[in-house]
Amino acid sequence: MKKSLYFLCLFLLAGFTGLAQTKPDYNKITLAIHGGAGTITRANMTPEKEKAYRAKLEEALKTGYAVLEKGGSSLDAVEATIHVMEDSPLFNAGKGAVFTNEGKNEMDAAIMDGKTLNAGSVASVTTIKNPITAARAVMEKSEHVMMIGDGAEKFAKLHGVELVDPSYFYTETRFNQLQQIRDKEKTQLDHDGGTSSNENIFVEGKKFGTVGAVALDAYGNLAAATSTGGMTNKRYGRVGDAPIIGAGTYADNNSCAVSATGHGEYFIRAVVAHDIASLMKYKGYSVKKAAEEVVLRKLVDFGGEGGVIALDRNGNVAMPFNSAGMYRGYIKNGKPQVSIYKD
Ligand code: ASP
C-alpha cells in the first residue's frame, strides 16, 4: 500500500514537472519573414507593385502567426508562411521562381528545428510544388539531411508531397528577366571577343527574391526555413546557400534562427547563418549585434550582397541587409510590420 502511494506521488510529480516545462507562453511568440533582397528601390517600384508585395507579406505573416497563436510549433508556422510566398508569383520561390541559363526552374529549400537541431533540405528540384514541404519530409521521414534532383523528387512523391508539371512554375516576368540577362551576356561577349567571365553577367542580374521565415513558438522553440529558385541565369546544377544548413538557413534554441537572402556563393563561403549563431553562442552577442556584424561588415568586406532575418529565444528580431532593399516583416502581439526599402 505504502509502495503504491509512493509511486502515485512520483507519477504526479513527474506529470507536474512535465506540465511546468511545457506550459506555453504566448507573450513571446514571434514570426519574421523576408521576400528577398536586392536592387529594390522606390525608383523601380510602382504603387500597384508595392501594394501587392505589402499585402502578400502581411498575408504570409498572419498565416504563420495564426499557427503560433493556436499553440502550433515554430516548424508548422514557418512551413505555412513559406507556402503563402511559394504559391505567389511575386517571389522567387515555387511559382515565380527564376529561370536557369537553360530556361528551367530549379528550386532549393531548407528547414531547421532549433529544438533538436534536425534539418532537411532539397536542391535542384523541378516538379515539387512546395519545395519547403519536401525539405521537411527529408528532415522527418528520412535518415538524411539533404536530397537533390530526381532523388529528392522520388522521395517527395513517395511521401505524398504534391508534384506538378514544370510548366506550373513559369511566369512571364521571370522569363523576360532571363532574356534580358542573356541579351546583355551576348553584348558583353561580343565586346570583349568572348573572354568575359560569366560571373559579371550573373551578378548584374541582381534578381534576388528568395523567401524565408523564422519563428518562435509558445514553447520557446525556434525554427528557420528558406525557399528559392536561386539566381536568374544560374548554370546547370548550381546550388545556392538556401539549402545549405549553416549558410542560408540555421536554427538553434541556444542562439537564434536565421534565414538569408542574397548572392548565395558569398553566403556559402561566409557561412552566414551559422556565423551569426556562433557570435551569439561563443561571444555573447545580441542577435542584432551578431547579424549586423556578419551582414554589414563581414559580407560587405567580402563583396556579398544581401541580408538576413534573425530571431532569438526572447523574440528579438534583427533584419539587416547591405543591398538597396529587402522585402521583410515581422509580427508580434498580432501586429504585422512590413518594410521594403532602407529608410
Ligand atoms: N540566396 C539565393 C541563392 O543564391 C538567392 C536569393 O536570395 O534570392 O540561391
Side-chain angles (χ1 to χ4, degrees):
M1 180 66 187
K2 246 187 186 171
K3 207 171 176 187
S4 56
L5 197 66
Y6 171 77
F7 278 118
L8 181 71
C9 286
L10 256 189
F11 179 75
L12 287 176
L13 192 70
F16 181 74
T17 335
L19 268 183
Q21 273 172 358
T22 53
K23 197 169 161 280
D25 174 2
Y26 289 93
N27 292 320
K28 282 186 187 162
I29 56 173
T30 309
L31 177 85
I33 59 172
H34 69 73
T39 327
I40 309 160
T41 58
R42 286 196 170 81
N44 56 30
M45 183 71 82
T46 63
E48 298 77 45
K49 217 168 115 185
E50 178 166 341
K51 212 173 143 200
Y53 273 105
R54 286 185 180 278
K56 203 36 98 173
L57 289 166
E58 269 202 19
E59 184 190 334
L61 284 170
K62 285 182 181 163
T63 303
Y65 196 78
V67 174
L68 297 173
E69 264 186 322
K70 284 191 209 115
S73 71
S74 48
L75 278 173
D76 285 343
V78 291
E79 187 184 356
T81 305
I82 296 283
H83 274 192
V84 173
M85 294 190 281
E86 281 180 337
D87 293 345
S88 160
L90 292 175
F91 303 98
N92 170 20
K95 175 105 190 145
V98 297
F99 283 85
T100 66
N101 178 260
E102 293 171 309
K104 288 165 61 182
N105 307 103
E106 290 179 1
M107 291 151 287
D108 304 335
I111 191 161
M112 185 157 181
D113 179 359
K115 182 183 174 190
T116 58
L117 300 188
N118 279 338
S121 72
V122 292
S124 287
V125 294
T126 58
T127 61
I128 298 174
K129 182 168 178 266
N130 294 103
I132 200 65
T133 296
R136 188 162 179 186
V138 171
M139 175 173 84
E140 291 177 345
K141 296 170 181 157
S142 86
E143 292 176 352
H144 309 300
V145 169
M146 189 173 198
M147 288 188 184
I148 63 162
D150 290 352
E153 282 163 1
K154 246 184 229 165
F155 177 80
K157 191 174 177 197
L158 197 70
H159 291 281
V161 177
E162 187 176 353
L163 301 186
V164 288
D165 187 84
S167 61
Y168 163 81
F169 299 103
Y170 177 91
T171 55
E172 204 180 333
T173 324
R174 295 296 187 193
F175 197 69
N176 290 342
Q177 284 172 355
L178 174 67
Q179 297 313 322
Q180 278 164 20
I181 295 188
R182 274 180 176 166
D183 289 349
K184 212 179 258 174
E185 189 171 56
K186 195 170 174 302
T187 334
Q188 280 202 7
L189 290 172
D190 287 348
H191 273 285
D192 65 9
T195 55
S196 160
S197 94
N198 284 332
E199 182 69 4
N200 286 336
I201 301 147
F202 187 59
V203 179
E204 266 176 39
K206 289 191 175 158
K207 304 295 184 200
F208 306 142
T210 293
V211 305
V214 289
L216 173 67
D217 64 29
Y219 298 90
N221 294 317
L222 291 168
T226 316
S227 182
T228 185
M231 291 176 74
T232 308
N233 202 32
K234 65 182 181 182
R235 297 311 195 260
Y236 29 71
R238 181 266 187 187
V239 173
D241 58 313
I244 311 286
I245 300 305
T249 309
Y250 193 72
D252 179 353
N253 277 0
N254 291 314
S255 49
C256 60
V258 182
S259 170
T261 173
H263 194 161
E265 278 67 12
Y266 290 87
F267 281 64
I268 294 172
R269 288 156 61 213
V271 205
V272 168
H274 188 262
D275 222 28
I276 294 170
S278 296
L279 285 172
M280 292 180 69
K281 197 164 170 180
Y282 302 124
K283 280 197 154 182
Y285 280 22
S286 68
V287 69
K288 185 170 185 285
K289 194 174 171 194
E292 288 183 356
E293 175 70 32
V294 176
V295 174
L296 305 181
R297 268 174 285 280
K298 183 178 177 183
L299 269 176
V300 170
D301 292 349
F302 223 41
E305 185 183 355
V308 303
I309 48 167
L311 170 67
D312 74 13
R313 226 185 164 177
N314 292 314
N316 297 306
V317 177
M319 303 194 284
F321 55 97
N322 61 37
S323 45
M326 179 165 91
Y327 296 109
R328 63 199 184 279
Y330 66 91
I331 183 163
K332 268 174 192 280
N333 307 317
K335 280 181 234 103
Q337 305 282 342
V338 166
S339 314
I340 299 177
Y341 313 106
K342 214 160 221 163
D343 44 280

